Amino acid sequence: MSAAPAAAAAPPRRVVICGGGVVGACTAYFLSTHAASPTVPTLIEKCAPACAASGKAGGFLALDWCDSTPALSALARASFALHRRLAADLGGADAYGFRSVHTLSVCIPTLPKPSSPPSPHPLLPPWVDPSASAAPPRELGTPDTTAQVHPGLFTKAVLAASGAELVIGEVERVVVREGRVAGVAVKGRDGVVDADAVVLALGPWSGRLQVVGEVFDVSGLKAHSIVLRPREPEKITPHCLFLSYQPAPGAKMLDPEVYPRPTGEVYICGMSKDENPPDDPATITGEPDSIAMLHKIAGKVSSQLKKEEGAEVVAEQACYLPCTTDGLPVIGEMPGVKGCYVATGHSCWGILNGPATGAALAELILDGKAKIVDLAPFSPARFLKRRSRR
């Protein structure tokens, strides 16, 4: 007589997500909408949802810009498709500014040309000054391959749709008993928040938890941005610009980016440096020199974006992008701790790859295996081999 097949392990009933950014929010959404075992999680966030990079990012989405790295390509393509599906399901155009965009590469001249103003290039949208382009612009993406969201509104909309219970508090440690996760300890709160599964999605702060820091490093890249409301917002078309700019002959080349939003605001980012984030995301501020350079670049792109000519300053800010030593995100179950999952290290592609990351984690937690994308290249266990060689 053959033995009866072993019963599949029951999916966890109590899931706690640590981190209220885009990855935590998307994981909550896909857990709660899982076809077979919908599970509404508890989400613990120190400040407020989308208070760090997920609220201050650009929100640019690209179908194929990660294709040079096969593992990332699969994640990005799956996520780009999910963004379109989520926009249809959640009313993304109105709720969080989802729309398709044209995307151009523009080289800004280092020195102004004394000759008569150049005639506008047909690819350049009318709101971009013809003098902003030192060479013919190049098309980087079409409305079929590039899109955008307002990242803060997207994160909050997805989290709200999940129905997750939101707890404001600082996670101190993951509680582990006999090699299995048992919950999390929250600063200033008695007892433990019990859990059958815990997801650590704390961006560059993930490595400060011992369970993560013992396995791999997550560093911070400080990125600056400004948000402007132009004089005539109705004239700003959906063209995202990737710029090349050398502030002075011999100076380091800069690569700022310009993203108009359907709200009429224009987001400009760039000026980044490696730096550890402070403990409290609410204390992060931009550095005056970097903010000033972004204003200078904005004015070179368009007279509509010059403060001196009536552009309103909506925000001057900075955030920290989570980066790993090998440039790939870390998504999966922590080695040696059953039921403890991590998702961090997405660098500048967090908003793009948040949906597929959340969907894959939800499948891994509730089904035991991710189907939407192969998570093997992103496993935190990949760092164990490297550490053992040291």
mmCIF file of all heavy atoms in Angstrom, residues 105-148:
data_model
loop_
_atom_site.group_PDB
_atom_site.id
_atom_site.type_symbol
_atom_site.label_atom_id
_atom_site.label_comp_id
_atom_site.label_asym_id
_atom_site.label_seq_id
_atom_site.Cartn_x
_atom_site.Cartn_y
_atom_site.Cartn_z
ATOM 1 N N SER A 105 15.499 61.528 -24.267
ATOM 2 C CA SER A 105 16.833 61.862 -23.772
ATOM 3 C C SER A 105 17.215 63.228 -24.333
ATOM 4 O O SER A 105 17.137 63.453 -25.547
ATOM 5 C CB SER A 105 17.847 60.808 -24.236
ATOM 6 O OG SER A 105 19.170 61.236 -23.986
ATOM 7 N N VAL A 106 17.596 64.149 -23.443
ATOM 8 C CA VAL A 106 17.929 65.524 -23.850
ATOM 9 C C VAL A 106 19.276 65.912 -23.250
ATOM 10 O O VAL A 106 19.497 65.747 -22.047
ATOM 11 C CB VAL A 106 16.839 66.516 -23.388
ATOM 12 C CG1 VAL A 106 17.224 67.953 -23.752
ATOM 13 C CG2 VAL A 106 15.486 66.163 -24.005
ATOM 14 N N CYS A 107 20.164 66.428 -24.083
ATOM 15 C CA CYS A 107 21.479 66.906 -23.631
ATOM 16 C C CYS A 107 21.425 68.425 -23.504
ATOM 17 O O CYS A 107 21.224 69.136 -24.498
ATOM 18 C CB CYS A 107 22.555 66.486 -24.621
ATOM 19 S SG CYS A 107 24.209 66.998 -24.148
ATOM 20 N N ILE A 108 21.582 68.923 -22.269
ATOM 21 C CA ILE A 108 21.532 70.367 -22.021
ATOM 22 C C ILE A 108 22.913 70.973 -22.287
ATOM 23 O O ILE A 108 23.920 70.429 -21.819
ATOM 24 C CB ILE A 108 21.105 70.655 -20.573
ATOM 25 C CG1 ILE A 108 19.703 70.103 -20.320
ATOM 26 C CG2 ILE A 108 21.136 72.142 -20.265
ATOM 27 C CD1 ILE A 108 19.220 70.303 -18.913
ATOM 28 N N PRO A 109 22.997 72.075 -23.012
ATOM 29 C CA PRO A 109 24.316 72.679 -23.268
ATOM 30 C C PRO A 109 24.970 73.185 -21.983
ATOM 31 O O PRO A 109 24.290 73.676 -21.080
ATOM 32 C CB PRO A 109 24.008 73.816 -24.236
ATOM 33 C CG PRO A 109 22.560 74.128 -24.040
ATOM 34 C CD PRO A 109 21.911 72.843 -23.637
ATOM 35 N N THR A 110 26.292 73.050 -21.912
ATOM 36 C CA THR A 110 27.029 73.541 -20.742
ATOM 37 C C THR A 110 27.020 75.061 -20.710
ATOM 38 O O THR A 110 26.775 75.683 -19.669
ATOM 39 C CB THR A 110 28.482 73.025 -20.790
ATOM 40 O OG1 THR A 110 28.446 71.602 -20.804
ATOM 41 C CG2 THR A 110 29.277 73.505 -19.585
ATOM 42 N N LEU A 111 27.286 75.679 -21.865
ATOM 43 C CA LEU A 111 27.337 77.143 -21.954
ATOM 44 C C LEU A 111 26.256 77.618 -22.909
ATOM 45 O O LEU A 111 25.991 76.971 -23.932
ATOM 46 C CB LEU A 111 28.715 77.602 -22.452
ATOM 47 C CG LEU A 111 29.908 77.165 -21.588
ATOM 48 C CD1 LEU A 111 31.217 77.486 -22.298
ATOM 49 C CD2 LEU A 111 29.851 77.844 -20.231
ATOM 50 N N PRO A 112 25.618 78.739 -22.616
ATOM 51 C CA PRO A 112 24.612 79.253 -23.555
ATOM 52 C C PRO A 112 25.257 79.675 -24.875
ATOM 53 O O PRO A 112 26.364 80.201 -24.892
ATOM 54 C CB PRO A 112 24.025 80.469 -22.821
ATOM 55 C CG PRO A 112 25.051 80.847 -21.802
ATOM 56 C CD PRO A 112 25.792 79.602 -21.443
ATOM 57 N N LYS A 113 24.559 79.390 -25.950
ATOM 58 C CA LYS A 113 25.098 79.768 -27.262
ATOM 59 C C LYS A 113 24.739 81.218 -27.547
ATOM 60 O O LYS A 113 23.590 81.617 -27.423
ATOM 61 C CB LYS A 113 24.525 78.854 -28.339
ATOM 62 C CG LYS A 113 25.027 77.417 -28.203
ATOM 63 C CD LYS A 113 24.461 76.536 -29.297
ATOM 64 C CE LYS A 113 24.970 75.119 -29.143
ATOM 65 N NZ LYS A 113 24.343 74.192 -30.095
ATOM 66 N N PRO A 114 25.735 82.018 -27.954
ATOM 67 C CA PRO A 114 25.461 83.435 -28.188
ATOM 68 C C PRO A 114 24.662 83.696 -29.453
ATOM 69 O O PRO A 114 24.125 84.763 -29.650
ATOM 70 C CB PRO A 114 26.872 84.041 -28.308
ATOM 71 C CG PRO A 114 27.731 82.899 -28.755
ATOM 72 C CD PRO A 114 27.127 81.658 -28.189
ATOM 73 N N SER A 115 24.590 82.723 -30.341
ATOM 74 C CA SER A 115 23.915 82.936 -31.622
ATOM 75 C C SER A 115 22.405 83.028 -31.415
ATOM 76 O O SER A 115 21.890 82.907 -30.317
ATOM 77 C CB SER A 115 24.240 81.781 -32.568
ATOM 78 O OG SER A 115 23.869 80.564 -31.973
ATOM 79 N N SER A 116 21.691 83.224 -32.496
ATOM 80 C CA SER A 116 20.234 83.337 -32.426
ATOM 81 C C SER A 116 19.632 82.018 -31.924
ATOM 82 O O SER A 116 20.216 80.961 -32.126
ATOM 83 C CB SER A 116 19.674 83.667 -33.811
ATOM 84 O OG SER A 116 20.098 82.673 -34.730
ATOM 85 N N PRO A 117 18.469 82.080 -31.258
ATOM 86 C CA PRO A 117 17.876 80.878 -30.680
ATOM 87 C C PRO A 117 17.633 79.809 -31.750
ATOM 88 O O PRO A 117 17.231 80.131 -32.871
ATOM 89 C CB PRO A 117 16.552 81.362 -30.081
ATOM 90 C CG PRO A 117 16.507 82.829 -30.258
ATOM 91 C CD PRO A 117 17.677 83.255 -31.073
ATOM 92 N N PRO A 118 17.891 78.542 -31.411
ATOM 93 C CA PRO A 118 17.688 77.473 -32.404
ATOM 94 C C PRO A 118 16.208 77.233 -32.652
ATOM 95 O O PRO A 118 15.364 77.562 -31.834
ATOM 96 C CB PRO A 118 18.333 76.264 -31.719
ATOM 97 C CG PRO A 118 18.242 76.550 -30.252
ATOM 98 C CD PRO A 118 18.334 78.034 -30.111
ATOM 99 N N SER A 119 15.899 76.672 -33.793
ATOM 100 C CA SER A 119 14.511 76.307 -34.062
ATOM 101 C C SER A 119 14.198 75.021 -33.288
ATOM 102 O O SER A 119 15.070 74.173 -33.117
ATOM 103 C CB SER A 119 14.289 76.092 -35.560
ATOM 104 O OG SER A 119 15.239 75.167 -36.048
ATOM 105 N N PRO A 120 12.985 74.872 -32.789
ATOM 106 C CA PRO A 120 12.655 73.715 -31.950
ATOM 107 C C PRO A 120 12.730 72.406 -32.737
ATOM 108 O O PRO A 120 12.345 72.358 -33.903
ATOM 109 C CB PRO A 120 11.231 74.004 -31.473
ATOM 110 C CG PRO A 120 10.688 75.013 -32.431
ATOM 111 C CD PRO A 120 11.851 75.789 -32.931
ATOM 112 N N HIS A 121 13.223 71.371 -32.103
ATOM 113 C CA HIS A 121 13.257 70.051 -32.721
ATOM 114 C C HIS A 121 11.859 69.441 -32.644
ATOM 115 O O HIS A 121 11.166 69.585 -31.626
ATOM 116 C CB HIS A 121 14.271 69.161 -31.990
ATOM 117 C CG HIS A 121 14.537 67.867 -32.680
ATOM 118 N ND1 HIS A 121 13.701 66.783 -32.561
ATOM 119 C CD2 HIS A 121 15.538 67.483 -33.515
ATOM 120 C CE1 HIS A 121 14.174 65.782 -33.288
ATOM 121 N NE2 HIS A 121 15.302 66.185 -33.872
ATOM 122 N N PRO A 122 11.426 68.740 -33.698
ATOM 123 C CA PRO A 122 10.046 68.216 -33.687
ATOM 124 C C PRO A 122 9.736 67.248 -32.530
ATOM 125 O O PRO A 122 8.581 67.119 -32.127
ATOM 126 C CB PRO A 122 9.917 67.499 -35.042
ATOM 127 C CG PRO A 122 11.310 67.420 -35.604
ATOM 128 C CD PRO A 122 12.082 68.528 -34.993
ATOM 129 N N LEU A 123 10.765 66.576 -31.984
ATOM 130 C CA LEU A 123 10.513 65.661 -30.866
ATOM 131 C C LEU A 123 10.287 66.395 -29.550
ATOM 132 O O LEU A 123 9.639 65.879 -28.646
ATOM 133 C CB LEU A 123 11.699 64.704 -30.692
ATOM 134 C CG LEU A 123 11.683 63.360 -31.427
ATOM 135 C CD1 LEU A 123 12.914 62.531 -31.046
ATOM 136 C CD2 LEU A 123 10.422 62.563 -31.130
ATOM 137 N N LEU A 124 10.850 67.602 -29.443
ATOM 138 C CA LEU A 124 10.748 68.344 -28.178
ATOM 139 C C LEU A 124 9.327 68.866 -27.972
ATOM 140 O O LEU A 124 8.759 69.489 -28.864
ATOM 141 C CB LEU A 124 11.707 69.531 -28.156
ATOM 142 C CG LEU A 124 13.156 69.330 -27.725
ATOM 143 C CD1 LEU A 124 13.846 70.687 -27.664
ATOM 144 C CD2 LEU A 124 13.265 68.618 -26.385
ATOM 145 N N PRO A 125 8.736 68.661 -26.795
ATOM 146 C CA PRO A 125 7.418 69.241 -26.544
ATOM 147 C C PRO A 125 7.516 70.766 -26.468
ATOM 148 O O PRO A 125 8.573 71.317 -26.140
ATOM 149 C CB PRO A 125 7.016 68.642 -25.192
ATOM 150 C CG PRO A 125 8.289 68.205 -24.545
ATOM 151 C CD PRO A 125 9.235 67.870 -25.649
ATOM 152 N N PRO A 126 6.432 71.476 -26.763
ATOM 153 C CA PRO A 126 6.483 72.948 -26.849
ATOM 154 C C PRO A 126 6.913 73.633 -25.549
ATOM 155 O O PRO A 126 7.466 74.734 -25.588
ATOM 156 C CB PRO A 126 5.046 73.329 -27.212
ATOM 157 C CG PRO A 126 4.431 72.096 -27.775
ATOM 158 C CD PRO A 126 5.123 70.938 -27.154
ATOM 159 N N TRP A 127 6.674 73.018 -24.371
ATOM 160 C CA TRP A 127 7.022 73.672 -23.112
ATOM 161 C C TRP A 127 8.516 73.610 -22.805
ATOM 162 O O TRP A 127 8.992 74.299 -21.893
ATOM 163 C CB TRP A 127 6.217 73.086 -21.955
ATOM 164 C CG TRP A 127 6.344 71.603 -21.744
ATOM 165 C CD1 TRP A 127 5.585 70.634 -22.330
ATOM 166 C CD2 TRP A 127 7.262 70.924 -20.885
ATOM 167 N NE1 TRP A 127 5.973 69.390 -21.906
ATOM 168 C CE2 TRP A 127 7.000 69.533 -21.007
ATOM 169 C CE3 TRP A 127 8.265 71.335 -20.015
ATOM 170 C CZ2 TRP A 127 7.715 68.565 -20.304
ATOM 171 C CZ3 TRP A 127 8.981 70.375 -19.309
ATOM 172 C CH2 TRP A 127 8.708 69.008 -19.462
ATOM 173 N N VAL A 128 9.267 72.783 -23.534
ATOM 174 C CA VAL A 128 10.717 72.727 -23.352
ATOM 175 C C VAL A 128 11.364 73.767 -24.253
ATOM 176 O O VAL A 128 11.099 73.805 -25.455
ATOM 177 C CB VAL A 128 11.264 71.318 -23.673
ATOM 178 C CG1 VAL A 128 12.792 71.290 -23.566
ATOM 179 C CG2 VAL A 128 10.662 70.279 -22.726
ATOM 180 N N ASP A 129 12.198 74.638 -23.673
ATOM 181 C CA ASP A 129 12.844 75.684 -24.464
ATOM 182 C C ASP A 129 13.761 75.055 -25.518
ATOM 183 O O ASP A 129 14.532 74.140 -25.187
ATOM 184 C CB ASP A 129 13.677 76.602 -23.563
ATOM 185 C CG ASP A 129 12.811 77.374 -22.575
ATOM 186 O OD1 ASP A 129 11.573 77.382 -22.750
ATOM 187 O OD2 ASP A 129 13.372 77.955 -21.630
ATOM 188 N N PRO A 130 13.706 75.529 -26.776
ATOM 189 C CA PRO A 130 14.595 74.975 -27.812
ATOM 190 C C PRO A 130 16.072 75.032 -27.419
ATOM 191 O O PRO A 130 16.852 74.138 -27.758
ATOM 192 C CB PRO A 130 14.305 75.860 -29.024
ATOM 193 C CG PRO A 130 12.917 76.372 -28.800
ATOM 194 C CD PRO A 130 12.784 76.526 -27.319
ATOM 195 N N SER A 131 16.461 76.067 -26.657
ATOM 196 C CA SER A 131 17.868 76.210 -26.254
ATOM 197 C C SER A 131 18.284 75.169 -25.218
ATOM 198 O O SER A 131 19.466 75.052 -24.890
ATOM 199 C CB SER A 131 18.105 77.606 -25.674
ATOM 200 O OG SER A 131 17.281 77.813 -24.535
ATOM 201 N N ALA A 132 17.317 74.393 -24.686
ATOM 202 C CA ALA A 132 17.644 73.375 -23.679
ATOM 203 C C ALA A 132 18.309 72.153 -24.296
ATOM 204 O O ALA A 132 18.862 71.319 -23.581
ATOM 205 C CB ALA A 132 16.383 72.939 -22.941
ATOM 206 N N SER A 133 18.262 72.033 -25.623
ATOM 207 C CA SER A 133 18.783 70.834 -26.266
ATOM 208 C C SER A 133 20.010 71.166 -27.103
ATOM 209 O O SER A 133 19.923 71.885 -28.104
ATOM 210 C CB SER A 133 17.693 70.201 -27.144
ATOM 211 O OG SER A 133 18.135 69.013 -27.718
ATOM 212 N N ALA A 134 21.186 70.632 -26.671
ATOM 213 C CA ALA A 134 22.437 70.897 -27.393
ATOM 214 C C ALA A 134 22.588 69.989 -28.608
ATOM 215 O O ALA A 134 23.445 70.220 -29.453
ATOM 216 C CB ALA A 134 23.622 70.686 -26.452
ATOM 217 N N ALA A 135 21.794 68.945 -28.670
ATOM 218 C CA ALA A 135 21.831 67.998 -29.786
ATOM 219 C C ALA A 135 20.415 67.485 -29.995
ATOM 220 O O ALA A 135 19.561 67.649 -29.123
ATOM 221 C CB ALA A 135 22.778 66.837 -29.455
ATOM 222 N N PRO A 136 20.141 66.877 -31.130
ATOM 223 C CA PRO A 136 18.779 66.362 -31.333
ATOM 224 C C PRO A 136 18.386 65.388 -30.222
ATOM 225 O O PRO A 136 19.163 64.498 -29.870
ATOM 226 C CB PRO A 136 18.880 65.634 -32.685
ATOM 227 C CG PRO A 136 20.013 66.291 -33.392
ATOM 228 C CD PRO A 136 20.990 66.682 -32.323
ATOM 229 N N PRO A 137 17.206 65.556 -29.618
ATOM 230 C CA PRO A 137 16.765 64.636 -28.565
ATOM 231 C C PRO A 137 16.534 63.233 -29.141
ATOM 232 O O PRO A 137 16.286 63.085 -30.346
ATOM 233 C CB PRO A 137 15.455 65.246 -28.065
ATOM 234 C CG PRO A 137 14.979 66.098 -29.191
ATOM 235 C CD PRO A 137 16.197 66.579 -29.908
ATOM 236 N N ARG A 138 16.620 62.226 -28.264
ATOM 237 C CA ARG A 138 16.378 60.843 -28.680
ATOM 238 C C ARG A 138 15.159 60.303 -27.962
ATOM 239 O O ARG A 138 14.934 60.615 -26.791
ATOM 240 C CB ARG A 138 17.587 59.950 -28.366
ATOM 241 C CG ARG A 138 18.807 60.218 -29.214
ATOM 242 C CD ARG A 138 19.915 59.200 -28.908
ATOM 243 N NE ARG A 138 20.321 59.213 -27.513
ATOM 244 C CZ ARG A 138 20.126 58.218 -26.663
ATOM 245 N NH1 ARG A 138 19.489 57.109 -27.036
ATOM 246 N NH2 ARG A 138 20.553 58.307 -25.406
ATOM 247 N N GLU A 139 14.412 59.472 -28.658
ATOM 248 C CA GLU A 139 13.254 58.831 -28.035
ATOM 249 C C GLU A 139 13.715 57.611 -27.250
ATOM 250 O O GLU A 139 14.326 56.703 -27.804
ATOM 251 C CB GLU A 139 12.243 58.416 -29.106
ATOM 252 C CG GLU A 139 10.950 57.863 -28.530
ATOM 253 C CD GLU A 139 9.917 57.554 -29.604
ATOM 254 O OE1 GLU A 139 10.141 56.591 -30.369
ATOM 255 O OE2 GLU A 139 8.910 58.279 -29.679
ATOM 256 N N LEU A 140 13.421 57.582 -25.948
ATOM 257 C CA LEU A 140 13.784 56.452 -25.087
ATOM 258 C C LEU A 140 12.619 55.518 -24.821
ATOM 259 O O LEU A 140 12.816 54.341 -24.512
ATOM 260 C CB LEU A 140 14.317 56.958 -23.742
ATOM 261 C CG LEU A 140 15.589 57.799 -23.759
ATOM 262 C CD1 LEU A 140 15.934 58.240 -22.332
ATOM 263 C CD2 LEU A 140 16.752 57.025 -24.364
ATOM 264 N N GLY A 141 11.408 56.046 -24.900
ATOM 265 C CA GLY A 141 10.236 55.231 -24.608
ATOM 266 C C GLY A 141 8.994 55.840 -25.214
ATOM 267 O O GLY A 141 8.910 57.063 -25.410
ATOM 268 N N THR A 142 8.030 55.003 -25.527
ATOM 269 C CA THR A 142 6.752 55.437 -26.090
ATOM 270 C C THR A 142 5.655 55.174 -25.054
ATOM 271 O O THR A 142 5.892 54.514 -24.036
ATOM 272 C CB THR A 142 6.434 54.639 -27.365
ATOM 273 O OG1 THR A 142 6.151 53.272 -26.983
ATOM 274 C CG2 THR A 142 7.615 54.655 -28.338
ATOM 275 N N PRO A 143 4.436 55.651 -25.318
ATOM 276 C CA PRO A 143 3.338 55.353 -24.384
ATOM 277 C C PRO A 143 3.054 53.855 -24.218
ATOM 278 O O PRO A 143 2.364 53.461 -23.276
ATOM 279 C CB PRO A 143 2.149 56.096 -25.001
ATOM 280 C CG PRO A 143 2.779 57.248 -25.727
ATOM 281 C CD PRO A 143 4.058 56.705 -26.292
ATOM 282 N N ASP A 144 3.568 53.030 -25.110
ATOM 283 C CA ASP A 144 3.423 51.580 -24.937
ATOM 284 C C ASP A 144 4.425 51.022 -23.940
ATOM 285 O O ASP A 144 4.194 49.955 -23.352
ATOM 286 C CB ASP A 144 3.606 50.855 -26.274
ATOM 287 C CG ASP A 144 2.446 51.102 -27.228
ATOM 288 O OD1 ASP A 144 1.316 51.303 -26.733
ATOM 289 O OD2 ASP A 144 2.675 51.100 -28.449
ATOM 290 N N THR A 145 5.567 51.703 -23.786
ATOM 291 C CA THR A 145 6.648 51.134 -22.977
ATOM 292 C C THR A 145 7.010 51.944 -21.742
ATOM 293 O O THR A 145 7.772 51.470 -20.897
ATOM 294 C CB THR A 145 7.928 50.966 -23.822
ATOM 295 O OG1 THR A 145 8.365 52.261 -24.280
ATOM 296 C CG2 THR A 145 7.689 50.068 -25.023
ATOM 297 N N THR A 146 6.489 53.162 -21.617
ATOM 298 C CA THR A 146 6.777 53.959 -20.422
ATOM 299 C C THR A 146 5.492 54.596 -19.886
ATOM 300 O O THR A 146 4.590 54.947 -20.645
ATOM 301 C CB THR A 146 7.832 55.057 -20.686
ATOM 302 O OG1 THR A 146 7.473 55.831 -21.839
ATOM 303 C CG2 THR A 146 9.213 54.444 -20.913
ATOM 304 N N ALA A 147 5.450 54.726 -18.567
ATOM 305 C CA ALA A 147 4.260 55.265 -17.896
ATOM 306 C C ALA A 147 4.703 55.888 -16.580
ATOM 307 O O ALA A 147 5.892 55.933 -16.266
ATOM 308 C CB ALA A 147 3.229 54.166 -17.667
ATOM 309 N N GLN A 148 3.740 56.382 -15.800
ATOM 310 C CA GLN A 148 4.083 56.990 -14.520
ATOM 311 C C GLN A 148 2.922 56.867 -13.546
ATOM 312 O O GLN A 148 1.766 56.672 -13.945
ATOM 313 C CB GLN A 148 4.465 58.465 -14.695
ATOM 314 C CG GLN A 148 3.295 59.368 -15.030
ATOM 315 C CD GLN A 148 3.659 60.839 -15.152
ATOM 316 O OE1 GLN A 148 3.050 61.537 -15.943
ATOM 317 N NE2 GLN A 148 4.610 61.338 -14.388
#
